[in-house]
Amino acid sequence: MRPAWWGGGDYADRMAAIPPGGALPPPPSPAAPPPGAPAPRMPLRRPGWRRFLVLAGVVLLIAAGALFMVFTLGESLGADALLVGLIAAILPVPVLVSCFLWLDRYEPEPLKYLVFCFAWGAFVSTAISLLVNETGAKLFDDWGLPTALTAVLVAPFIEELTKAAGPILLLIFRRREFSGITDGLVYCGLSAVGFAMVENILYLGGYGYRTGVEQYGPATGAQQVIAIFIVRILVFGFAHPLFTSMTGVGLGLAARTADRRVRFLAPLAGLLLAMILHGTWNLLPTLAQATGQTVIVLYGYVGVMVPIFFAMVGLAVWLRAWEGRLTERTLPDYVRAGWLTPPEVAALGSLGRRHAARTWARRVAGDAGVRAMRRYQFAATRLALLRDGMRRGLDRKPAEREQAAREERELLDAIAAYRTFFVGRDPQAPVGIWDGQRYHLRFPDGSQRPVEAPDDPVVPIPVVLAPPPPAPVGWHQPAGGWHQPPSPWHR
């Protein structure tokens, strides 16, 4: 059900009527919510039976993969080695997961999708990869070829393909949760972290602890666990996330383009690049062992992998800042329409400004103001991404464009409701109203005059928004394009 302050009922119809690549209409006219009104809840989405079957199949597949890996590792390693490997492999996981969550600060993804990607990589990808790698090694041995070729020719293909399968499913069935390359890096990175964790159990518990105990006793087993931990996790721990991040870049590009060719080729190119990097990484120790030149590994590590790693870190940091600046590029449309004020958009441009806005909200409205400000910032970021997607023409079908218009309106209503918790409560802010073009401030002598917005706004939210006119004028599309009806403040 629509909130009582829902306005501009024909906006979704006009959005659905616009052909792909046509002129994007301005945001709908704002209507003021009643003071203190709670934010409208997004309507619950009832999945159809096909989506339900897909969800049930994914859950069962993850559960089956988890049972298979627990049984396989427990049978091959033994209880003691499995426990040691599990503890050692889990240690770096919080650090790696925190890095990806830090990258996703502006528009955090739903926890259920993050857990899904991690579990997919940890159980489904490892189970399938283990079966395929063992089959490949047996075939190479039957053909009289070195089984080491499995690590170079088979493992990169199947491991990168299965690690990427989970994020690809998200892109297909939950495309709106993919807001760009940052989300691709986060989803694929968590899948790779889950995969690496389970794989490290095998190396640390089997090749480390169990082998050492069988040869010389528990002390040697502990020493080998520490040695493998240093080399495999502290030095080379970025390998799996680095490889799969290439696929993440491709998926992110596909999610933010309307070109069908790019939607198909970008993920494919990213996946192929991930396989090539993975195969090259596995080839280095194989060549070093075959030639007796261990320096090959050092050259490959320092000359190839480290530069690529720092390049990806630089790209991730730049993308994180880009996502913050997107609000400054996109939300001015809503400033001109009267939904937001210029300082609000400026306060969304960086994490430091957002923190300052939350501090301000706590000062003027307490804990409720902080919660409302945090939700307001999240909704504003999603609104900016949605508007950017409209500009890019991501929604090609009329039903998709109608859904985008409906989601835009729901976000705008939520933003309007969140603002009521803290706007107009600061005694240090000037008394005035923003009409979409300029301020109308009341001065100590009782006079009221229009004031142009400063070039560099510094106050998070100084004034309330202009109330809607009693009888809003409908939008129309003359020959010159879309125009907004005149503001009630214009004289």
Side-chain angles (χ1 to χ4, degrees):
M1 180 177 296
R2 293 179 174 180
W5 58 90
W6 185 284
D10 63 338
Y11 181 71
D13 297 334
R14 290 185 284 101
M15 276 293 300
I18 297 175
L24 181 65
S29 302
R41 294 185 177 183
M42 297 295 180
L44 295 177
R45 186 178 185 181
R46 296 181 179 179
W49 64 271
R50 293 182 180 178
R51 292 182 181 273
F52 178 79
L53 289 179
V54 171
L55 177 62
V58 168
V59 172
L60 290 176
L61 186 60
I62 292 176
L67 291 175
F68 174 80
M69 291 306 300
V70 170
F71 176 79
T72 302
L73 292 176
E75 186 179 37
S76 61
L77 301 182
D80 293 341
L82 177 61
L83 181 61
V84 171
L86 179 63
I87 294 174
I90 288 178
L91 290 178
V93 170
V95 177
L96 294 173
V97 171
S98 298
C99 291
F100 287 106
L101 295 182
W102 172 86
L103 185 62
D104 198 30
R105 286 281 300 279
Y106 280 104
E107 195 246 345
E109 303 308 316
L111 179 61
K112 59 183 178 180
Y113 297 139
L114 301 178
V115 173
F116 161 74
C117 287
F118 183 88
W120 181 277
F123 304 122
V124 178
S125 179
T126 52
I128 297 175
S129 298
L130 180 62
L131 292 174
V132 174
N133 287 338
E134 288 181 348
T135 302
K138 186 176 182 304
L139 289 176
F140 284 134
D141 185 57
D142 293 340
W143 296 339
L145 298 174
T147 56
L149 290 176
T150 305
V152 180
L153 301 179
V154 179
F157 172 80
I158 190 61
E159 291 178 9
E160 294 306 321
L161 181 62
T162 54
K163 282 187 292 183
I168 289 175
L169 287 176
L170 274 182
L171 180 61
I172 295 174
F173 292 100
R174 290 292 185 271
R175 183 175 66 85
R176 292 191 179 277
E177 296 301 333
F178 254 91
S179 57
I181 299 178
T182 300
D183 288 357
L185 293 176
V186 171
Y187 288 137
C188 289
L190 289 179
S191 179
V193 170
F195 181 94
M197 180 191 72
V198 176
E199 189 180 58
N200 287 335
I201 295 175
L202 178 62
Y203 279 87
L204 294 166
Y207 302 143
Y209 184 77
R210 181 178 179 179
T211 301
V213 169
E214 291 177 349
Q215 290 180 346
Y216 302 105
T220 302
Q223 291 177 355
Q224 292 190 181
V225 169
I226 294 174
I228 294 177
F229 185 90
I230 293 174
V231 174
R232 184 169 181 83
I233 294 179
L234 297 184
V235 179
F236 300 142
F238 65 86
H240 274 292
L242 176 62
F243 305 148
T244 315
S245 67
M246 304 300 164
T247 307
V249 172
L251 294 178
L253 290 174
R256 301 303 292 177
T257 182
D259 192 324
R260 293 184 177 180
R261 293 169 297 181
V262 177
R263 287 186 176 184
F264 174 77
L265 294 177
L268 182 61
L271 183 60
L272 290 176
L273 184 57
M275 293 176 179
I276 292 173
L277 282 178
H278 196 158
T280 303
W281 177 263
N282 290 349
L283 179 62
L284 294 175
T286 303
L287 290 177
Q289 184 178 7
T291 61
Q293 300 291 329
T294 57
V295 73
I296 293 177
V297 177
L298 180 62
Y299 286 157
Y301 177 73
V302 176
V304 179
M305 295 301 170
V306 170
I308 294 177
F309 169 74
F310 281 108
M312 288 302 300
V313 170
L315 175 63
V317 172
W318 180 84
L319 287 170
R320 186 175 186 260
W322 178 88
E323 193 170 87
R325 294 192 300 270
L326 179 65
T327 57
E328 295 181 326
R329 296 192 302 270
T330 307
L331 294 184
D333 288 351
Y334 301 96
V335 173
R336 290 185 289 271
W339 284 98
L340 303 172
T341 63
E344 290 181 83
V345 176
L348 291 166
S350 69
L351 292 175
R353 296 179 185 177
R354 294 185 179 211
H355 176 73
R358 291 194 295 271
T359 302
W360 171 85
R362 182 183 297 276
R363 177 172 64 83
V364 301
D367 293 339
V370 175
R371 290 192 296 270
M373 175 64 77
R374 185 176 289 110
R375 294 169 183 173
Y376 158 86
Q377 292 172 342
F378 175 77
T381 304
R382 286 196 64 90
L383 180 63
L385 290 165
L386 181 65
R387 188 72 175 178
D388 180 69
M390 291 179 179
R391 290 177 174 177
R392 295 172 182 267
L394 300 185
D395 300 309
R396 303 180 63 88
K397 299 179 180 178
E400 293 176 344
R401 294 197 293 276
E402 183 178 356
Q403 180 182 355
R406 184 169 57 252
E407 184 177 351
E408 179 190 38
R409 189 70 209 214
E410 290 169 350
L411 288 170
L412 286 170
D413 287 329
I415 288 173
Y418 292 139
R419 291 180 87 255
T420 63
F421 285 89
F422 44 75
V423 72
R425 299 191 181 187
D426 189 354
Q428 302 177 13
V431 178
I433 291 178
W434 171 260
D435 71 348
Q437 301 295 328
R438 58 182 62 84
Y439 295 104
H440 297 263
L441 302 181
R442 182 175 301 134
F443 293 88
D445 61 359
S447 63
Q448 180 170 305
R449 296 193 301 271
V451 177
E452 297 295 332
D455 294 333
D456 188 17
V458 294
V459 181
I461 303 176
V463 296
V464 297
L465 298 171
V473 180
W475 294 85
H476 61 283
Q477 188 181 20
W482 288 99
H483 296 282
Q484 184 178 357
S487 167
W489 284 97
H490 292 171
R491 297 289 187 258

